[in-house]
């Protein structure tokens, strides 16, 4: 037993020595997750107490699941969960499809100068602050002097009060999210396409395959593993909405909350507006637990369909 243990330790030491550079590169990521993910874990206890800032987390009275019961009873939990899930599913599904389309279109451009220019133009919105995005939206949809209402009036129509119409904002939010994220998201797919051997395309061309058939039977199947991997990673955070996007577009307009309120904005209001730390922690705990169960479930389904594409 002792000999086996000694051999294992020597093997580990040899592995660390020969690949020390690779392991040193992992250190910042490991330290980051220890500090910001593992050390704060005991703070989840706040969700089960009536938090009193003077008493601290562990001295505050324990109330069990009352915070969760309150969320379920007043209907807030269902509304914010539904909104967060639906928005993120659209962001994830539609976003990846559009990223694939743009990546294929960019890869098919013959001119290197025009290809780089097109990629830069599509990528540019990613670097625009969400505060600026909110400013754009306000100037587009403002009732008094918004660009869209000016166009409607010039065409003989009547102004529309966008900031009092919750139904239309789900389309506006999705449009801004796709516009801002497509350029950055397509980089991964573009890198995958670049890595496909040209010999495969040349063989298909010699066999008489058209450009559409080469895309359909070569490019798209080659992108499948990348798509599934990004899908699984995205599902892990499907209950973590884009707070910057929603807050800067909607702000504190409670009229739009039924269609636009997500978990992140709800938690923000609990902490900043109402100073209800326990309720915010309860929502955050529910968010993390639901995300974990979802990732494990989807990974299990993927493993049963094709184990090669599963995360673990």
């Amino acid at each position: 037993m002792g000999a086996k243990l000694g051999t294992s330790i020597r093997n580990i030491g040899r592995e660390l020595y020969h690949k020390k550079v690779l392991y040193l590169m992992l250190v910042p990521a490991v330290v980051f997750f220890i500090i910001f993910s593992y050390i704060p874990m005991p703070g989840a206890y706040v969700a089960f107490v009536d938090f009193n800032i003077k008493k601290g987390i562990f001295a505050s009275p324990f109330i069990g699941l009352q915070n969760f019961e309150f969320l379920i009873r007043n209907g807030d939990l269902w509304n914010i969960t539904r909104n967060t899930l639906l928005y993120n599913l659209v962001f994830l599904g539609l976003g990846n499809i559009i990223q694939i389309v743009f990546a294929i279109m960019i890869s098919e451009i013959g001119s290197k100068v025009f290809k780089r220019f097109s990629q830069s133009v599509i990528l540019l919105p990613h670097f625009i602050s969400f505060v600026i995005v909110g400013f754009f939206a306000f100037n587009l949809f403002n009732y008094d002097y918004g660009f869209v209402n000016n166009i409607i009036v010039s065409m003989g129509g009547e102004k529309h009060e966008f900031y009092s119409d919750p139904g239309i904002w789900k389309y506006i939010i999705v449009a801004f999210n796709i516009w801002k994220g497509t350029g950055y998201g397509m980089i991964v797919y573009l890198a995958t396409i670049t890595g496909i051997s040209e010999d495969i395309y040349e063989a298909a061309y010699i066999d008489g395959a058209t450009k559409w058939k080469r895309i359909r039977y070569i490019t798209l199947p080659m992108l499948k593993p990348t798509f599934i991997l990004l899908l699984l990673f995205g599902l892990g955070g499907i209950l973590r909405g884009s707070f910057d996007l929603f807050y800067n577009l909607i702000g504190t307009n409670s009229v739009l909350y039924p269609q636009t309120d997500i978990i992140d904005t709800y938690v923000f209001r609990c902490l900043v507006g109402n100073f209800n730390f326990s309720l915010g922690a309860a929502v955050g705990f529910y968010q993390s637990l639901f995300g974990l169960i979802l990732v494990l479930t989807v990974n299990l389904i993927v493993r049963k369909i094709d184990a090669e594409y599963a995360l673990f």
Side-chain angles (χ1 to χ4, degrees):
M1 185 67 180
K4 288 183 178 180
L5 181 61
T7 303
S8 299
I9 293 173
R10 283 194 296 273
N11 290 336
I12 293 172
R14 194 179 297 113
E15 174 77 9
L16 291 173
Y17 177 78
H18 289 299
K19 298 181 179 178
K20 55 181 177 293
V21 175
L22 295 177
Y23 285 109
L24 281 173
M25 291 172 66
L26 286 175
V27 169
V30 172
V31 171
F32 174 85
F33 282 108
I34 289 175
I35 294 174
F36 294 103
S37 296
Y38 290 97
I39 293 178
M41 274 186 175
Y45 183 69
V46 178
F48 304 95
V49 301
D50 183 12
F51 181 70
N52 186 312
I53 195 168
K54 293 181 180 180
K55 296 180 179 180
I57 297 175
F58 298 103
S60 297
F62 181 79
I63 58 174
L65 300 176
Q66 288 184 25
N67 289 317
F68 299 92
E69 291 173 2
F70 173 77
L71 288 169
I72 295 171
R73 190 167 56 249
N74 66 10
D76 287 345
L77 190 63
W78 160 246
N79 184 55
I80 60 177
T81 301
R82 180 200 62 193
N83 289 342
T84 308
L85 275 175
L86 292 178
Y87 276 115
N88 280 332
L89 284 174
V90 174
F91 292 163
L92 195 59
L94 186 60
N96 275 279
I97 291 171
I98 293 177
Q99 289 161 19
I100 290 172
V101 171
F102 272 87
I104 293 173
M105 290 171 61
I106 293 292
S107 67
E108 292 295 328
I109 296 175
S111 171
K112 290 185 178 180
V113 175
F114 186 65
K115 180 184 288 189
R116 290 173 182 172
F117 173 76
S118 302
Q119 188 173 350
S120 300
V121 170
I122 298 171
L123 183 61
L124 183 62
H126 172 73
F127 299 101
I128 298 175
S129 167
F130 276 109
V131 176
I132 304 300
V133 172
F135 179 76
F136 285 164
F138 183 77
N139 280 274
L140 282 173
F141 303 111
N142 182 269
Y143 181 81
D144 294 320
Y145 49 83
F147 178 76
V148 175
N149 273 327
N150 286 336
I151 294 294
I152 293 173
V153 171
S154 67
M155 296 176 66
E158 295 182 359
K159 289 184 177 181
H160 183 75
E161 184 59 79
F162 288 96
Y163 283 93
S164 296
D165 183 2
I168 200 170
W169 277 92
K170 51 180 175 284
Y171 305 106
I172 295 174
I173 289 171
V174 170
F176 272 107
N177 180 269
I178 298 298
W179 170 74
K180 196 173 187 304
T182 296
Y184 186 78
M186 78 174 186
I187 292 175
V188 178
Y189 292 109
L190 199 57
T192 305
I193 294 172
T194 306
I196 301 173
S197 175
E198 286 293 330
D199 295 338
I200 301 175
Y201 288 107
E202 290 176 4
Y205 177 76
I206 293 171
D207 288 339
T210 62
K211 183 170 289 188
W212 165 244
K213 286 185 177 179
R214 294 197 295 273
I215 292 172
R216 181 180 178 184
Y217 295 108
I218 298 175
T219 306
L220 291 178
M222 289 290 188
L223 290 176
K224 182 181 175 182
T226 305
F227 174 77
I228 293 176
L229 186 64
L230 293 177
L231 187 67
L232 287 173
F233 283 143
L235 286 173
I238 200 167
L239 280 187
R240 299 190 181 279
S242 179
F243 171 80
D244 292 339
L245 174 65
F246 283 84
Y247 185 74
N248 283 288
L249 287 181
I250 306 303
T252 56
N253 188 347
S254 58
V255 176
L256 304 180
Y257 285 167
Q259 297 288 334
T260 62
D261 201 18
I262 59 171
I263 293 176
D264 296 72
T265 53
Y266 185 88
V267 172
F268 176 79
R269 290 200 308 277
C270 286
L271 297 178
V272 176
N274 304 324
F275 294 100
N276 194 332
F277 295 95
S278 296
L279 197 61
V283 178
F285 183 82
Y286 160 76
Q287 189 179 31
S288 301
L289 184 62
F290 191 96
L292 174 64
I293 294 172
L294 189 63
V295 170
L296 293 175
T297 304
V298 173
N299 186 77
L300 181 63
I301 294 171
V302 172
R303 175 175 284 279
K304 287 186 177 295
I305 296 172
D306 192 338
E308 185 178 348
Y309 297 135
L311 287 175
F312 47 84

